[in-house]
Structures are given as C-alpha cells and as structure tokens.
Amino acid sequence: MLTKQQIHHLKQILTQEKNDIEKRLKENNQFDLNKGHAHESVGELSSYDNHPADEASELFERQKDVALNEHEGEYLKSIYNALLAIEKGTYGKCVICGKDIPYERLEAIPTTIYCKEHSPDKVTSKDRPVEEDVLMTPYGKFNFDVSRDEGITFDAEDSWQEVASWGTSDSPQDYLEQIEHYNDVNIEPNENLGYVEDYENFSAVDLYGKPINIYPTKQHEKYEELLDEEGTMTIFGDLPGNEKDPYVDE
C-alpha cells in the first residue's frame, strides 16, 4: 500500500514528464509531421530532380520521425493513464489482478499500472516485416538463386538483370571499379541471358545436336575473332587451328 507521500512524489515525476513531452512535441511540430508533405520538412518542392538515393534518405528520416512520434505518443498516453489512476485512487494496484504494485517497481516505471506478472511488455512480438509477405518463392530466394540445388533456371537475379539492362539510376561514379560505359552499370552486365555458351546465340542444332545453320551476327563475328586470337577452333582449346581430324570416330 502506497503512502500519500510516495504517491505525491510519483505524481510529481509523472507531471514533469508530461510537461516535458508536450513542450517537446510542440517545439518540434510533432517531428514536423504536421506539415503537408515530407518535402516541406526538408525544403524541397518536388521529387523529380532528386536522385533516388536522396529520396530514400528522406523517406528513412520521415519514417524515423513517424516512429519517434508514435513512441512519444504512447509514452504520453501511459502517463495520462497513470495520472488518471491517481485521481481515481487506484494507482499502485494492478488493473488485471488488483494486487499492490511494489513501490520499487513504480519508482523505476512510474507510468505502469500493471504488476510484473501481468505486464504486457513481457509478451514477445511475433510480427514479421510486411515485406516478407511479397518476398516469397521464387523471389524470396533471391540470395540463394546460385545454389547448386536450384538448377539452371531463369531466376529472380536473371529477371533483375534483364530489367537493369535497359538502364538504372546508377552511374559509373557509384562503382568502386572503373566503369567505362553506362551499359555496364548493372549486375554482371556481360553475363549471357537466355543461353550459356557464346556460340548458342548464333548457332542452331537439331534434336540430336547436329548443326543446321550459323547465323552471321555480331556475336558470331566476335566469337570468330576470339578463336582466331587464341589460335584454336573451339573454346575448349583441344584442337589447333586448321585441324582436319574429327572429334570422334564415326
């Protein structure tokens, strides 16, 4: 059972905390959330001329302000509930079981109206980030697409590479290594998409692997130049130039 002196002391602490929070929220204009748009808090008129990284930074700061404002609001609400309990004469008793709350606990947490056994803060939240609802199979396995167990498929990484090949907001200055062309500012820009070996992009075979035709493309020319530079007829390097013998005996 709390004495009148103890209750008076705790009430003073709660009242001071309430005044400090209300003054702070008034001075910072609710963390600038009372303004019409996030741009107003940073002095921007539009998003169009901003780099996506700058927009992301501003979005992060805005989300942080929302979180801080909610935290202050919840704490202020708990102060109001404690002061209301003092006025009703129920302060110091658990609202769940009605048992006396030890003074040591109230001195450490003046806003509490629960005993230790019924404190809602004991419950560990099982909530997961909302992003996990959309990052499911197959795109949820983005970091594991190179796993040997996955097999060779057109996976999430390939999807992003295909989209990024049409251009991203990145520029050569955003990379540690030297980038000479804007077409190279994406993940593995030289990786083949839709085929494995270079010659598969210009050659055609039948169901049994018998060559049918060779299409004279720029890829074919580059491939021939590469073989000529290496002095070989194949990428395997097992046949010298102008070799006449077949690979296998028929």
Side-chain angles (χ1 to χ4, degrees):
M1 186 71 178
L2 297 177
T3 64
K4 290 183 178 181
Q5 185 177 1
Q6 289 174 334
I7 294 178
H8 179 71
H9 173 64
L10 295 172
K11 182 178 181 180
Q12 284 184 323
I13 296 177
L14 291 168
T15 303
Q16 184 63 43
E17 283 287 328
K18 179 179 76 69
N19 294 336
D20 290 345
I21 294 176
E22 290 176 343
K23 179 181 178 181
R24 186 160 59 248
L25 290 176
K26 183 178 180 180
E27 290 178 349
N28 62 29
N29 199 19
Q30 296 287 138
F31 293 93
D32 286 332
L33 295 177
N34 287 336
K35 294 187 177 182
H37 195 276
H39 290 137
E40 298 180 22
S41 62
V42 294
E44 294 284 352
L45 299 178
S46 172
S47 304
Y48 294 115
D49 60 339
N50 283 2
H51 190 281
D54 296 330
E55 281 291 299
S57 298
E58 293 179 11
L59 177 60
F60 166 77
E61 293 297 332
R62 191 66 165 181
Q63 290 175 328
K64 185 174 68 176
D65 291 339
V66 171
L68 291 173
N69 185 66
E70 290 182 356
H71 179 269
E72 294 280 48
E74 289 296 324
Y75 186 53
L76 191 59
K77 182 180 178 181
S78 66
I79 293 177
Y80 289 152
N81 291 334
L83 291 173
L84 181 61
I86 292 177
E87 293 181 4
K88 291 182 177 180
T90 60
Y91 184 72
K93 293 185 179 294
C94 178
V95 296
I96 302 297
C97 64
K99 294 182 179 180
D100 291 339
I101 303 175
Y103 179 71
E104 292 77 14
R105 174 172 170 79
L106 290 171
E107 195 173 24
I109 315 174
T111 58
T112 187
I113 54 177
Y114 302 94
C115 65
K116 183 179 179 181
E117 289 72 20
H118 296 100
S119 174
D121 294 335
K122 290 174 54 178
V123 179
T124 303
S125 175
K126 301 298 183 181
D127 295 339
R128 300 296 303 168
V130 67
E131 289 81 5
E132 293 185 0
D133 292 339
V134 296
L135 294 178
M136 302 302 290
T137 305
Y139 300 102
K141 300 186 297 180
F142 183 87
N143 291 332
F144 305 100
D145 283 339
V146 296
S147 173
R148 296 179 180 178
D149 298 333
E150 298 296 330
I152 301 176
T153 59
F154 190 84
D155 53 28
E157 183 182 11
D158 295 325
S159 299
W160 166 245
Q161 288 177 268
E162 181 66 24
V163 174
S165 65
W166 294 90
T168 68
S169 60
D170 292 336
S171 61
Q173 67 178 4
D174 298 321
Y175 288 78
L176 295 177
E177 64 273 14
Q178 184 176 0
I179 303 296
E180 298 181 356
H181 198 280
Y182 274 83
N183 291 340
D184 297 333
V185 289
N186 55 65
I187 302 175
E188 298 179 351
N190 297 322
E191 182 180 1
N192 298 329
L193 296 177
Y195 57 97
V196 179
E197 302 295 345
D198 292 336
Y199 56 79
E200 295 179 2
N201 191 42
F202 52 81
S203 63
V205 298
D206 60 15
L207 182 62
Y208 303 99
K210 183 179 179 181
I212 298 178
N213 196 7
I214 297 295
Y215 299 95
T217 63
K218 292 183 177 180
Q219 287 83 357
H220 178 229
E221 294 179 3
K222 292 181 179 179
Y223 184 73
E224 291 288 351
E225 292 175 358
L226 177 62
L227 294 180
D228 292 340
E229 292 177 0
E230 296 295 333
T232 183
M233 296 178 62
T234 71
I235 61 173
F236 310 109
D238 58 352
L239 290 179
N242 303 317
E243 176 65 49
K244 300 301 181 180
D245 295 334
Y247 283 103
V248 296
D249 295 331
E250 296 182 355

